[in-house]
Structures are given as structure tokens and as C-alpha cells.
């Protein structure tokens, strides 16, 4: 099934028809205006579009989708366009319409009795977290791009981030979804029930499917109790295996309070300190590995600090921990988190890395890191191993950094394939996933054919064809071309 991109209409006819639906101000067609919407976050994928539409309601989304469906015009849904996998921009050729949801940015209801937050898809994650906080609650999804990513995109990519260990990823935080289907019909599932066993759980079709089965236009999210205290520490550890053992100790001692457990390699710390400039290293000596540990709870702050100190002291006694520093203030905690969260931008600003967003069972993660490091250095001995991320939930960003003497086109081009393939195959062999939280988009689409079974790929294609038989919604993303037999 191929996307029906060769619609007989001219771009002008498409623009005229869609302007009549969303208004001429909300229908862009000039190349300079289109550029930011057809270029992905990393500037690696640039697409072609006949128009960008910015609807302000579900009804307008429905009418745009119905018109495009009737005329065989491709639609690419887009939120904050922060996808790292090229999932939210159109293909390089064609007359796609980018449908950006940023004007649908209203918080519709904050319900502190049912503990639900109902909002439109274009609300940024920051704004959603603020609406929860203002109501004395927590919406716990926490990712570095929260200032620009939108709830609709978080849902369609099943976003994860630094608090998954405690609160799960977006799939665990969504109670209801409203979505526009490829033919323009509206699926209205904005219910906030914790229990509803009345047939297939249809909202799950739109969570993590990256805008290929429907356009998320609104959602009902879970609200959690607002923690009144948190305690954060950076601990230098002997190895990833020591980090895994320390995580076990922390869970044993602090239980549910363990909210984040983030691994940071020595090269990653060097890179981010160099990028931040004024931030001092948290440790006197240089260490190859460290972890950021955060405990949060409703209990008092000193109780949490004592608990975290207990974990660190027992780690120091057992040799798991080589050095540790406990945040003495909110400012300290902010600095520790800044060190962790700026690693992402530090890579981009230092020439770019090959992003391997993998997850493996915790019991295998240390061996995986060792094997993958050896494999990458055998291919490219000068690589700096930027390894960091959400060890607590088994997800590691294993991002070999481009050596300074390698031109970007070589490294992210010629070297990308062999390095990415090596890392992915080792993660798969360890029982893991080649994309833990960033999704598939274009970047990992073809790799899926190596790592998903024939039955899985066939099922996904059957669902895609059932909802989008013309292949108009976000074509070329997520699903590798079907094997002839399945087409
Ligand atoms: C993180 C951000 C994207 C990346 O920092 O947790 O998900 O790999 C990443 O730089
Ligand atoms: Zn991450």
C-alpha cells in the first residue's frame, strides 16, 4: 500500500479548499513559512508540503481530514515538532498537508476530585505540568523538551523521560483520548474513568502510533499527588553493574519514593560540563560512571535526605559508591538536574551523535553497555561514549559522539549504519528494544523489519489498512514497507 501522494489537484487548489475551512491566516503556503514545519528538530529530515494548516478546533481538524481523504491528499499531524526520529515532517516529495495543532492549546478542565486533567493536544507539556501544579497536583511526565513538545505529540509517541521509574510512560498516564480518524470521523473517548471494560481499549490505538492511525486532538490525563519533598544526589559508581546494584539498594530502602535513577558516563559528564561552561564537576576526582538519584514523597524533606544518605552510606561501605554529593538546597538539586538534562543539547552543539535510544532488561544492561562499547570502539576507536539516561527503567541513551576529525556527513552518514546496527543488534540480543521512548518515525522504520516478527508486522499493517486504507495519514513513518505477501 503506498501513500496516495499524486493527488490530481494543484497546490493552489489544496490551499484554497483548506483556507476555506481554517481561514486564510491559518493556512500557510509560501516556502519560507513552510520551512520550520517541514524540517525536523535535528535538521536531518526535510520534507515537501503543499500547505501547513493550523486548525483551532477538533471540528476544523475533522473537516480538513475529511476533505483530504476525499481528495487523496496526504496529511502529516504535527505538535511541537520535537521528534528525534523524523516522525512529524512530510516525506521529501509530494503534496502533503502538515496539520499543526499548536493553536489547540486550551486546558479544558482540572478536576481535583477525580484527579484528571482534560486538555487539547496543542498544550505544551510545560503548560500541562503548570496547570496541575496550580491545582496542587502533579502531572509527572518529565522530558527535556517540555517547553516546546505538546501533549498530543507526547501521547502519539508514548513519551517516557526521567520519571518513568515511578509513574510510567504516557501510556500509563492517559485515561481518555479524542482523535480524528483518517476519514475525518471523530473518535470521542474523553472519559476519565480508571476502570472501563466495555470492549477494545480503543484509545491505545492512538497512543504510540505516531499519528499514523489518527490525529489526537484532546486527552484526559491522570493527576498524581504533588510531592511536598524531594532529595537529589549524584553518586560516582564503580561501573554500570554497580549502578544496577545501587538501584536495588535504593528500592529496598526507599521503595516507591525512588522517582529517578539516571546513569551518566564520564565522557557524558565531560561533554556537558564543557558545554555548560560555568558549572563545576560535582566530584574532586574524575569518574567513569555516576548516577543521579531522586527520591520524592509527601513526607518531610529531612526524612528523605536521611533515607537517601542511608542508601549512599551503605553504597560507600560496600564499594558500590566511590563518592557522593547530596543536594543541600533547591539550587543544588537544580544544578544536578541541569547537568543531566543538558547532555542532549551538548551533543548537538558539539557536532552530533548517533542516537541509540535502547532499553534492555535491567539484569542485562551492564553487560550490554560493555559489549556495545567494545563494538563501537572497534568500528570507530576515537568515539567518545556518551552513555546516559533512564537506567532505572532499563532505557539507556547510547549515543556515540562524532569524533572531531570526522565530517558530519561521514559520521552521521557512513558510520551511522554500522554503529547503529551493531548497538541495536546487541540490545535485541539482550532481550531489549531498539527504540525505548523516542519512537520509530523514519529513522528506525526500516530497522523494524529486522526486529519485529512477521506476525507483528502483519498485524500492524492490518490495523493500519483498517483505519487508513488509502495510506494518507503520516505515510512513511513507523511501518517498514510490507512484504509483498502481506500487501
Ligand atoms: C534524554 C533526549 C534526547 C537525546 O535526555 O533523556 O531522551 O537522546 C533524551 O538526546
Ligand atoms: Zn530520554
Amino acid at each position: 500500500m503506498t501513500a496516495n501522494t499524486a493527488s490530481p489537484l494543484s497546490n493552489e487548489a489544496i490551499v484554497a479548499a483548506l483556507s476555506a475551512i481554517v481561514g486564510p491566516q491559518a493556512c500557510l503556503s509560501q516556502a519560507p513559512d513552510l520551512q520550520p514545519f517541514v524540517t525536523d528538530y535535528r535538521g536531518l529530515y526535510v520534507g515537501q508540503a503543499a500547505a501547513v494548516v493550523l486548525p483551532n478546533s477538533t471540528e476544523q481538524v475533522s473537516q480538513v481530514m475529511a476533505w483530504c481523504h476525499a481528495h487523496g491528499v496526504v496529511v502529516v499531524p504535527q505538535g511541537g515538532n520535537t521528534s528525534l526520529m523524523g516522525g512529524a515532517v512530510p516525506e521529501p516529495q509530494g503534496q502533503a498537508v502538515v496539520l499543526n495543532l499548536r493553536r489547540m492549546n486550551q486546558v479544558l478542565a482540572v478536576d481535583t476530585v477525580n484527579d484528571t486533567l482534560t486538555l487539547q493536544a496543542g498544550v505544551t507539556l510545560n503548560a500541562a505540568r503548570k496547570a496541575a501544579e496550580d491545582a496542587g497536583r502533579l502531572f509527572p511526565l518529565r522530558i527535556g523538551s517540555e517547553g516546546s513538545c505538546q501533549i498530543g505529540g507526547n501521547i502519539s509517541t508514548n513519551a517516557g523521560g526521567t520519571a518513568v521509574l515511578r509513574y510510567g510512560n504516557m501510556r500509563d498516564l492517559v485515561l481518555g483520548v479524542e482523535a480524528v480518524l483518517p476519514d475525518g470521523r471523530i473518535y470521542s473517548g474523553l472519559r476519565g474513568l480508571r476502570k472501563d471494560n466495555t470492549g477494545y481499549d480503543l484509545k491505545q490505538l492512538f497512543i504510540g502510533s505516531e499519528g499514523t492511525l489518527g490525529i489526537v486532538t484532546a486527552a484526559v490525563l491522570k493527576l498524581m499527588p504533588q510531592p511536598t519533598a524531594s532529595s537529589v544526589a549524584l553518586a560516582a559508581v564503580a561501573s554500570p553493574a554497580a549502578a544496577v546494584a545501587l538501584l536495588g539498594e535504593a528500592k529496598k530502602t526507599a521503595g516507591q519514593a525512588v522517582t529517578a535513577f539516571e546513569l551518566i558516563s564520564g565522557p557524558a559528564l565531560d561533554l556537558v560540563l564543557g558545554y555548560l561552561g560555568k558549572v563545576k564537576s560535582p566530584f574532586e576526582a574524575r569518574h567513569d560512571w555516576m548516577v543521579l538519584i531522586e527520591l520524592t514523597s509527601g513526607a518531610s524533606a529531612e526524612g528523605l535526605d536521611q533515607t537517601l544518605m542511608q542508601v549512599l552510606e551503605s553504597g560507600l561501605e560496600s564499594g558500590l559508591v566511590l563518592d557522593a554529593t547530596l543536594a543541600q538546597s533547591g539550587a543544588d538539586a537544580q544544578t544536578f538536574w541541569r547537568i543531566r538534562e543538558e547532555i542532549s543539547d551538548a551533543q548537538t552543539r558539539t557536532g552530533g551523535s548517533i542516537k541509540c535510544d535502547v532499553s534492555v532488561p535491567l539484569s542485562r544492561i551492564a553487560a550490554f553497555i560493555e559489549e556495545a562499547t567494545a563494538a563501537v570502539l572497534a568500528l570507530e576507536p576515537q568515539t567518545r561514549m556518551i552513555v546516559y539516561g533512564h537506567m532505572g527503567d532499563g532505557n539507556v541513551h547510547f549515543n556515540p559522539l562524532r569524533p572531531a576529525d570526522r565530517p558530519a556527513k561521514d559520521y552521521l552518514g557512513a558510520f551511522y549504519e554500522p554503529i547503529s546496527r551493531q548497538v541495536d543488534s546487541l540490545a535485541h540480543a539482550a532481550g531489549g528494544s531498539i527504540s525505548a521512548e523516542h519512537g520509530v518515525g523514519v529513522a528506525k522504520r526500516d530497522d523494524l523489519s529486522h526486529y519485529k516478527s512477521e506476525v507483528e508486522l502483519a498485524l500492524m499493517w492490518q490495523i493500519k489498512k483498517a483505519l487508513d486504507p488509502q495510506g494518507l495519514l503520516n505515510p512513511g513513518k513507523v511501518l517498514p514497507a510490507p512484504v509483498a505477501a502481506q500487501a
Side-chain angles (χ1 to χ4, degrees):
M1 175 180 71
T2 50
N4 179 343
T5 50
S7 51
L9 295 172
S10 67
N11 285 2
E12 292 69 21
I14 294 172
V15 171
L18 300 184
S19 297
I21 296 172
V22 297
Q25 304 307 321
C27 183
L28 310 177
S29 58
Q30 302 307 308
D33 299 332
L34 301 182
Q35 201 51 37
F37 297 92
V38 298
T39 308
D40 86 303
Y41 181 74
R42 297 174 70 194
L44 294 180
Y45 299 97
V46 181
Q48 193 173 48
V52 172
V53 293
L54 298 125
N56 66 5
S57 68
T58 301
E59 191 44 44
Q60 283 191 355
V61 174
S62 167
Q63 289 173 23
V64 166
M65 198 66 237
W67 187 90
C68 289
H69 182 260
H71 295 85
V73 174
V74 158
V75 175
V76 177
Q78 187 182 80
N81 198 16
T82 58
S83 165
L84 293 165
M85 313 308 277
V89 293
E91 297 180 285
Q93 303 298 329
Q95 293 178 289
V97 170
V98 175
L99 189 151
N100 185 287
L101 289 124
R102 71 180 182 200
R103 290 180 68 212
M104 293 173 64
N105 59 7
Q106 296 308 303
V107 173
L108 303 175
V110 184
D111 180 337
T112 53
V113 174
N114 292 306
D115 273 340
T116 56
L117 172 62
T118 306
L119 34 59
Q120 287 187 308
V123 172
T124 63
L125 174 54
N126 237 351
R129 285 173 58 88
K130 174 99 179 44
E133 189 184 341
D134 292 348
R137 294 289 186 276
L138 171 72
F139 178 64
L141 190 80
R142 203 169 53 182
I143 54 181
S145 57
E146 60 189 43
S148 41
C149 66
Q150 297 170 10
I151 289 298
N154 297 150
I155 292 172
S156 73
T157 57
N158 184 28
T162 55
V164 168
L165 172 58
R166 171 101 180 252
Y167 295 105
N169 48 25
M170 207 54 183
R171 196 176 299 284
D172 306 300
L173 298 171
V174 175
L175 291 167
V177 162
E178 175 191 74
V180 172
L181 302 178
D183 59 10
R185 284 177 297 158
I186 299 171
Y187 161 72
S188 298
L190 290 181
R191 286 178 289 277
L193 300 171
R194 264 62 176 185
K195 289 185 172 175
D196 177 2
N197 263 348
T198 50
Y200 297 120
D201 187 356
L202 295 174
K203 69 176 177 293
Q204 296 298 345
L205 283 171
F206 308 107
I207 304 173
S209 51
E210 300 184 40
T212 59
L213 300 180
I215 304 175
V216 173
T217 47
V220 181
L221 306 177
K222 285 180 190 170
L223 289 178
M224 304 296 179
Q226 197 165 55
T228 54
S230 86
S231 182
V232 184
L234 278 173
V237 292
S239 64
V244 173
L246 183 64
L247 172 62
E249 286 305 310
K251 287 181 190 174
K252 210 159 56 188
T253 310
Q256 271 290 343
V258 184
T259 301
F261 193 92
E262 298 284 308
L263 181 69
I264 301 173
S265 70
L269 180 69
D270 297 341
L271 179 76
V272 74
L273 291 179
Y275 168 64
L276 291 175
K278 298 192 185 65
V279 175
K280 274 185 353 62
S281 170
F283 304 114
E284 290 298 316
R286 188 186 181 287
H287 295 281
D288 289 336
W289 296 100
M290 70 208 65
V291 291
L292 180 152
I293 310 175
E294 180 185 51
L295 307 186
T296 62
S297 84
S300 60
E302 55 277 9
L304 278 181
D305 278 349
Q306 273 157 5
T307 306
L308 189 46
M309 274 315 290
Q310 191 185 330
V311 171
L312 298 172
E313 279 157 5
S314 85
L316 285 161
E317 273 156 39
S318 64
L320 294 178
V321 174
L322 306 175
D323 194 354
T325 170
L326 180 75
Q328 299 302 311
S329 65
D332 279 357
Q334 254 180 5
T335 302
F336 291 1
W337 270 113
R338 202 163 158 240
I339 286 172
R340 162 59 188 86
E341 287 177 347
E342 293 293 340
I343 297 173
S344 180
D345 278 354
Q347 294 164 77
T348 312
R349 298 286 183 286
T350 320
S353 58
I354 294 175
K355 291 187 181 288
C356 301
D357 162 36
V358 296
S359 56
V360 293
L362 264 175
S363 56
R364 311 282 297 271
I365 205 163
F368 161 75
I369 290 174
E370 193 180 334
E371 288 157 16
T373 300
V376 170
L377 293 179
L379 282 169
E380 177 66 88
Q382 301 313 312
T383 296
R384 290 159 66 183
M385 298 314 296
I386 309 303
V387 178
Y388 66 103
H390 327 292
M391 174 178 253
D393 56 61
N395 174 196
V396 162
H397 296 304
F398 192 92
N399 293 356
L401 187 74
R402 176 168 66 90
D405 63 350
R406 279 259 179 241
K409 66 176 176 37
D410 276 1
Y411 196 71
L412 295 180
F415 276 83
Y416 173 81
E417 275 303 318
I419 286 179
S420 177
R421 279 274 163 84
Q422 273 278 25
V423 175
D424 287 351
S425 61
L426 288 167
H428 183 71
S433 165
I434 66 166
S435 183
E437 59 175 6
H438 296 162
V440 178
V442 176
K444 288 286 180 191
R445 178 195 62 207
D446 298 335
D447 297 311
L448 283 197
S449 35
H450 300 295
Y451 298 108
K452 304 302 273 189
S453 71
E454 223 175 279
V455 170
E456 286 174 310
L457 290 170
L459 272 179
M460 289 199 273
W461 269 112
Q462 281 174 283
I463 292 168
K464 171 69 176 174
K465 280 193 270 192
L467 272 81
D468 182 17
Q470 293 188 62
L472 294 178
L473 200 48
N474 216 6
K477 313 302 183 342
V478 184
L479 294 181
V483 173
Q486 294 156 359

